[in-house]
Amino acid sequence: GAVVSQHPSWVICKSGTSVKIECRSLDFQATTMFWYRQFPKQSLMLMATSNEGSKATYEQGVEKDKFLINHASLTLSTLTVTSAHPEDSSFYICSARTISSYNEQFFGPGTRLTVL
Amino acid sequence: AQSVTQLGSHVSVSEGALVLLRCNYSSSVPPYLFWYVQYPNQGLQLLLKYTSAATLVKGINGFEAEFKKSETSFHLTKPSAHMSDAAEYFCAVRIYNTDKLIFGTGTRLQVFP
């Protein structure tokens, strides 16, 4: 149980294009989803927290117009990197928690984005 | 502010040897602490968590960690390393009164035959 998937697992795009990454909770309802960014050989940095049906809360320094987050249902959250640039290349990981698992986040396998 | 510090970005052990990965925390309130493992190009998997119950916490894959308030530590140990334990390990603390996690910088564990 508590499986989180991400799609795509990797994506390569040209500079200036937008890329959408999906995060799905497969066997539970995720009231809250989190988006992290991980640079090579570095730790995870929380980008934003999204609750189903409401606007995402972004961490300080994260551009909300650059990284659009939508959490339209209890099983799906999307992160759209708009007008991507090479510096946006990174590993993006989502996690999700249920209303009852306040102390545990279930992580997706990550999406590697490379912007050329 | 709450934080965790992982000492040693790289740890190398021989197969069968003791694994010790260090994590120290800073928190003015009782912390909730976590250890996660990340295999290459994958997401994170929870190894174990401390949520103010027993100070010695047992996790998956033979790992355990002991919460020591006097030392503000939550070190991860495993008596006998296996080749499959080679991965990146992250210590994390939950920000008080939220469900957000702050991660340490990670420790890469290498296991030699």
Side-chain angles (χ1 to χ4, degrees):
Chain A
V3 178
V4 176
S5 70
Q6 283 185 240
H7 178 79
S9 55
W10 59 270
V11 57
I12 302 173
C13 68
K14 292 182 179 180
S15 185
T17 61
S18 294
V19 175
K20 179 184 286 189
I21 301 170
E22 293 185 347
C23 176
R24 293 182 185 272
S25 57
L26 299 184
D27 50 2
F28 66 98
Q29 293 186 325
T31 51
T32 304
M33 286 185 168
F34 305 85
W35 286 96
Y36 295 85
R37 183 173 182 178
Q38 184 180 30
F39 290 104
K41 301 187 187 305
Q42 294 188 29
S43 189
L44 282 75
M45 300 298 294
L46 179 64
M47 299 174 66
T49 303
S50 72
N51 293 296
E52 186 265 339
S54 61
K55 289 185 178 181
T57 302
Y58 290 82
E59 295 300 303
Q60 193 172 10
V62 177
E63 300 175 58
K64 61 181 181 180
D65 295 330
K66 173 78 172 174
F67 299 99
L68 300 178
I69 292 172
N70 184 284
H71 192 164
S73 78
L74 285 172
T75 59
L76 173 65
S77 176
T78 60
L79 168 67
T80 301
V81 182
T82 62
S83 187
H85 288 92
E87 57 266 29
D88 298 324
S89 298
S90 191
F91 196 50
Y92 292 89
I93 301 175
C94 74
S95 70
R97 72 164 185 86
T98 69
I99 194 168
S100 59
S101 69
Y102 197 76
N103 283 319
E104 185 165 0
Q105 296 180 21
F106 303 99
F107 285 80
T111 296
R112 183 161 302 283
L113 169 64
T114 302
V115 185
L116 302 176
Chain B
Q2 294 169 280
S3 66
V4 287
T5 302
Q6 290 183 244
L7 298 176
S9 59
H10 288 84
V11 170
S12 297
V13 300
S14 298
E15 190 173 21
L18 171 71
V19 175
L20 171 61
L21 304 182
R22 300 178 185 274
C23 174
N24 287 88
Y25 69 88
S26 174
S27 179
S28 58
V29 297
Y32 284 9
L33 297 163
F34 305 79
W35 274 102
Y36 287 87
V37 61
Q38 183 182 33
Y39 296 99
N41 296 311
Q42 294 186 30
L44 275 67
Q45 181 181 8
L46 180 67
L47 281 175
L48 49 80
K49 60 185 176 184
Y50 169 75
T51 57
S52 74
T55 55
L56 181 62
V57 182
K58 294 187 183 297
I60 62 171
N61 302 339
F63 284 94
E64 64 181 35
E66 185 171 8
F67 175 74
K68 292 186 176 180
K69 185 177 179 180
S70 61
E71 299 178 7
T72 61
S73 68
F74 190 57
H75 301 331
L76 182 70
T77 61
K78 182 174 180 177
S80 177
H82 193 272
M83 296 295 289
S84 60
D85 294 326
E88 188 87 20
Y89 291 80
F90 292 96
C91 181
V93 61
R94 199 191 86 190
I95 300 175
Y96 179 71
N97 233 17
T98 77
D99 50 5
K100 298 181 183 180
L101 295 174
I102 295 177
F103 287 86
T105 50
T107 298
R108 180 166 298 277
L109 175 66
Q110 288 185 303
V111 182
F112 293 101

